[in-house]
Amino acid sequence: MNFNEVKELISILDDSKLAYFELENEDGYIKIDKSMSRDYVPNKIQNEVSAIENKEEKQHNNTISSKINIKENMLSIILIGGIVVISIILLFALYIIISSPDFDKEKLYSKESSVLYYNDGKTELARLGQYDRALVNYEELPQVLIDAIVATEDSRFFQHSGLDVARFAKASVGQLIGNDKAGGASTLTMQVVKRAYTSGESHGIKGIVRKFTDIYMAVFKVESNYTKEEIIEFYVNSQWFGSTGSLNNSGFAGVEQACQNFFGKSVSDISLAEASILAGMFQNPGLYNPYTKPNNTRKRQKIVLTLMVNHGYITEEEKNAVLDIPIESLLVKKDNVANGDSRAAIDYIINEVANDTGYDLRETPMKIVTTIDKDVQDVLNKLEKGEIYEFPNEYMQEGIAITDMETGGLSAISGGRNYSARGTNRATTKRQPGSTAKILFDYGPYIEYLNGSPATLFLDEETTYSNGTPIKNADGKYNGLMTMRDALAASRNIPALRAFQAVYKENPDYIKNFVKNLGIDYGGELYESAAIGGFDGVSPVQMSAAYAAYGRGGYYIKPYSYTEATLLENGKVYNKTLEK
C-alpha cells in the first residue's frame, strides 16, 4: 500500500461511523483511529509500506539477476565451446599442412618404359622399367574416353577446384549413418594425389588424415599449378591395368598400353564400347579385367554407360547398342608371355648402356636399337628350353654368345638354362676354354709371326712341357707327322704345344700381344699350359669376338650389344663407338 492509498483510507474513516481500522504488517496489526494525526498515520504507514516495497523490489531484482546470470553462463559455455571447436579445426588443418608430403612435381609425371628393339630397329625385344608404359597427352585422348571417365569418376571435374563439396558432404553423411556404399567422394585430382603422394589408407584416424591431406594437396597444390587437361593426363598415364607376366616390369600402366594389350590398338582409335570398359577398370583393374572377369566387366561397363546417359554424353539407344556387343569380340588374342626369354641378352644390354651413358634402362626411359638378331636369338631361347636339343640331365649347362662377323655386334646371347634375371650369365662368365684356345694361342701366332700355313707339318709324338711335365693327347695315342689343318681338326694337343713353343722361343711377346689384341686376358703370367686352354679363363662373349676377327681378315672389334641409345625425355642420342 502506498502513501496516497493510506490518505484515502483516513478520509474514508473521517466520513464513516467507524471508530478505527487495523492494517496488517509483518509485525502484526496497526490500529488507526480518528484521534490520530492525519500526518502521523500516513507517515508511519508509509514507512511500513516502503519497507515492504523495498523487500519485494529486492526479491524481484534478485530474480532478474539470476535469470541474467544463467543466460550469461549459457552464452559463455557456447562461446568457449565454439572457440575450442574452431581451435581444434585450426590445429587439425595446421597439422595437415605441416605433415603433408613435399610437393615434388616430378612425382606427377609418370615415366615411360625403356624400349629395346632388335637390330631391325622396329621389332620390340623388350620393355623395361617399373611398368610397361607409353605416355599420351590430352590431345591424343578420344573425347569418348574423357566423357566416360568424367561421368564415372568425377562428374563435376571441370567445375570444381579439386574438391566437390556437395558430393563430399553427401558421402560424409552417408558414412556417418553407416552406408557402406556412400563412397569416398574422391575427385580425379584427389586420386592423382593419392597415387603420387599419399597412400590407400582408408580406415580410422589414418584414413581421415589421408583424406584431408588429399583434399589439401588437390586444392592448393595440384589444381593451383596445373590445368584440368594436364590433370587428366596425370590420371590416365598413372593407372596400373594389369600384369604382363614378364620379368622385365611389374605390369602395364597408362591407357595407351592398356589399349594395346586389351584391344590391339592405340587409345586414340578406341570406340565407345572399348572406352566404357577401360573407364570402368580405373576403380579396380583386377576385378574388372576383361580377360579373366568378363562378367564383372560387363556389369561395370553397364554402370559406366548408364552414368554417361544420365550426364547427357550418350543416348539410351547408344548404350543398348554397346551392350549388344560381346566383350570377347573386342579383345585381341592374348599371347603367352615367354617369361625370361632373352633375359641374359637384356641384362647384358642394360649393363653396357649403363657403362656407356650412366643411365639405368630400368629407371631412365630410353629407346635402344640393339644388335640382337631376332631369328638367331629365338634359336638360343629354344635351346635353353630343350626344344631343339635334349639335355641328358637337369644339371648340364651352357653359355653361348654369337657375334656378327661383319659388324662385330652380338647377334644373340644365352646365359644358360633356367637363367634368372640378373643371375649368373654364363655367356660372360670366364672358364678355361680348353682346345678352343689352340687357334688363338698356337696356330694363329704361328701363321702370323713364323709364316706358317694350314699345310705346315708338326710331329705328333711323345713329348713334355719345357719343365719336363708330360703332355698327352686325349686318346693317349700319337699320329706322327700331321698338317696344321689335320691337327687342328682332330684337336691334337702335342702339335698345338709344339706351335706354341716355337713362337714363344722366337719372341715371348708375340703370343702375348696376339691374344691381347683379340681381347683375351690370360692372367698375370703366360704359361705353356695356355696352349691347350689351361689359364685363368675367358668368356663365350670374348671368345666369340676373338674368333670373329679371323672371319673379317684379322680385324678385331670389341663386342657390343647396341648401336643407338636415345633418352626419351629430351631426345639426346648416344651412338655406339666401335673399338677396333
Side-chain angles (χ1 to χ4, degrees), residues 270-435:
I270 63 174
S271 64
L272 172 61
E274 294 155 342
S276 57
I277 291 176
L278 200 61
M281 292 184 70
F282 277 85
Q283 186 183 81
N284 191 325
L287 184 61
Y288 302 120
N289 186 298
Y291 284 112
T292 59
K293 303 288 178 60
N295 292 333
N296 290 349
T297 302
R298 175 63 85 192
K299 292 177 183 178
R300 182 64 177 165
Q301 182 188 40
K302 188 174 182 180
I303 292 173
V304 172
L305 292 169
T306 300
L307 289 169
M308 293 183 74
V309 172
N310 294 344
H311 292 291
Y313 291 113
I314 61 173
T315 65
E316 189 71 28
E317 290 72 21
E318 289 175 307
K319 166 189 168 180
N320 294 330
V322 168
L323 293 176
D324 287 336
I325 303 173
I327 295 290
E328 294 77 7
S329 68
L330 299 171
L331 306 176
V332 294
K333 183 178 179 182
K334 196 171 182 66
D335 296 327
N336 291 325
V337 177
N339 193 12
D341 272 5
S342 310
R343 187 67 245 185
I346 293 169
D347 284 347
Y348 189 95
I349 296 165
I350 290 173
N351 292 336
E352 185 176 347
V353 171
N355 289 334
D356 291 349
T357 67
Y359 294 110
D360 188 331
L361 292 175
R362 296 161 298 179
E363 298 176 0
T364 303
M366 301 183 78
K367 171 187 172 182
I368 308 295
V369 179
T370 74
T371 61
I372 304 299
D373 185 299
K374 186 179 187 306
D375 293 334
V376 181
Q377 186 65 50
D378 284 346
V379 172
L380 294 193
N381 292 340
K382 292 178 180 178
L383 175 66
E384 291 177 4
K385 300 173 186 175
E387 295 180 8
I388 59 177
Y389 174 76
E390 184 176 349
F391 289 89
N393 57 59
E394 60 180 308
Y395 304 107
M396 181 175 285
Q397 277 290 356
E398 48 77 23
I400 302 173
I402 299 175
T403 299
D404 185 299
M405 197 164 59
E406 292 184 5
T407 66
L410 288 164
S411 297
I413 296 176
S414 171
R417 299 169 66 195
N418 303 314
Y419 177 82
S420 60
R422 315 302 291 173
T424 300
N425 190 342
R426 290 177 172 81
T428 59
T429 301
K430 290 185 176 183
R431 296 181 181 277
Q432 291 191 353
S435 292

Side-chain angles (χ1 to χ4, degrees), residues 429-481:
T429 301
K430 290 185 176 183
R431 296 181 181 277
Q432 291 191 353
S435 292
T436 59
K438 292 172 181 176
I439 191 175
L440 305 176
F441 285 81
D442 311 327
Y443 301 125
Y446 193 95
I447 293 173
E448 178 74 12
Y449 298 111
L450 300 185
N451 296 320
S453 74
T456 299
L457 294 173
F458 294 94
L459 184 59
D460 183 13
E461 64 177 3
E462 186 175 358
T463 189
T464 66
Y465 289 104
S466 297
N467 62 4
T469 302
I471 180 175
K472 293 183 178 181
N473 294 308
D475 59 6
K477 299 177 181 180
Y478 308 102
N479 292 340
L481 282 176

Side-chain angles (χ1 to χ4, degrees), residues 105-373:
K105 294 183 178 181
E106 289 298 318
K107 291 184 178 181
L108 290 171
Y109 294 92
S110 303
K111 291 184 178 180
E112 291 189 81
S113 306
S114 287
V115 186
L116 276 60
Y117 294 92
Y118 285 102
N119 58 357
D120 62 3
K122 300 177 181 178
T123 308
E124 286 189 14
L125 167 60
R127 283 178 170 265
L128 305 178
Q130 183 180 9
Y131 299 115
D132 175 5
R133 179 179 7 230
L135 300 181
V136 293
N137 55 45
Y138 187 83
E139 289 71 25
E140 296 175 276
L141 298 174
Q143 189 61 45
V144 67
L145 178 61
I146 296 173
D147 294 343
I149 291 173
V150 171
T152 307
E153 297 292 334
D154 188 357
S155 61
R156 286 185 283 269
F157 172 72
F158 288 101
Q159 284 76 50
H160 63 65
S161 298
L163 173 65
D164 188 337
V165 178
R167 184 179 169 206
F168 182 77
K170 181 180 178 181
S172 299
V173 172
Q175 290 178 351
L176 287 174
I177 63 176
N179 183 1
D180 294 335
K181 297 181 179 180
S186 290
T187 62
L188 291 184
T189 315
M190 290 167 64
Q191 292 182 54
V192 168
V193 169
K194 183 168 70 173
R195 291 177 192 167
Y197 300 105
T198 57
S199 68
E201 184 66 54
S202 59
H203 298 93
I205 187 64
K206 290 184 178 179
I208 295 173
V209 171
R210 194 273 299 167
K211 176 66 72 174
F212 279 93
T213 301
D214 290 349
I215 293 173
Y216 164 69
M217 297 195 71
V219 175
F220 296 102
K221 298 297 182 180
V222 179
E223 289 273 355
S224 61
N225 285 279
Y226 297 97
T227 65
K228 290 291 186 179
E229 290 75 16
E230 288 175 315
I231 294 171
I232 287 283
E233 289 180 13
F234 297 148
Y235 185 74
V236 300
N237 284 319
S238 62
Q239 176 66 45
W240 179 87
F241 282 98
S243 173
T244 60
S246 172
L247 292 174
N248 300 327
N249 50 61
S250 300
F252 54 94
V255 292
E256 175 62 26
Q257 287 307 100
C259 290
Q260 295 290 353
N261 278 270
F262 293 131
F263 314 124
K265 60 177 70 173
S266 175
V267 65
S268 59
D269 299 324
I270 63 174
S271 64
L272 172 61
E274 294 155 342
S276 57
I277 291 176
L278 200 61
M281 292 184 70
F282 277 85
Q283 186 183 81
N284 191 325
L287 184 61
Y288 302 120
N289 186 298
Y291 284 112
T292 59
K293 303 288 178 60
N295 292 333
N296 290 349
T297 302
R298 175 63 85 192
K299 292 177 183 178
R300 182 64 177 165
Q301 182 188 40
K302 188 174 182 180
I303 292 173
V304 172
L305 292 169
T306 300
L307 289 169
M308 293 183 74
V309 172
N310 294 344
H311 292 291
Y313 291 113
I314 61 173
T315 65
E316 189 71 28
E317 290 72 21
E318 289 175 307
K319 166 189 168 180
N320 294 330
V322 168
L323 293 176
D324 287 336
I325 303 173
I327 295 290
E328 294 77 7
S329 68
L330 299 171
L331 306 176
V332 294
K333 183 178 179 182
K334 196 171 182 66
D335 296 327
N336 291 325
V337 177
N339 193 12
D341 272 5
S342 310
R343 187 67 245 185
I346 293 169
D347 284 347
Y348 189 95
I349 296 165
I350 290 173
N351 292 336
E352 185 176 347
V353 171
N355 289 334
D356 291 349
T357 67
Y359 294 110
D360 188 331
L361 292 175
R362 296 161 298 179
E363 298 176 0
T364 303
M366 301 183 78
K367 171 187 172 182
I368 308 295
V369 179
T370 74
T371 61
I372 304 299
D373 185 299

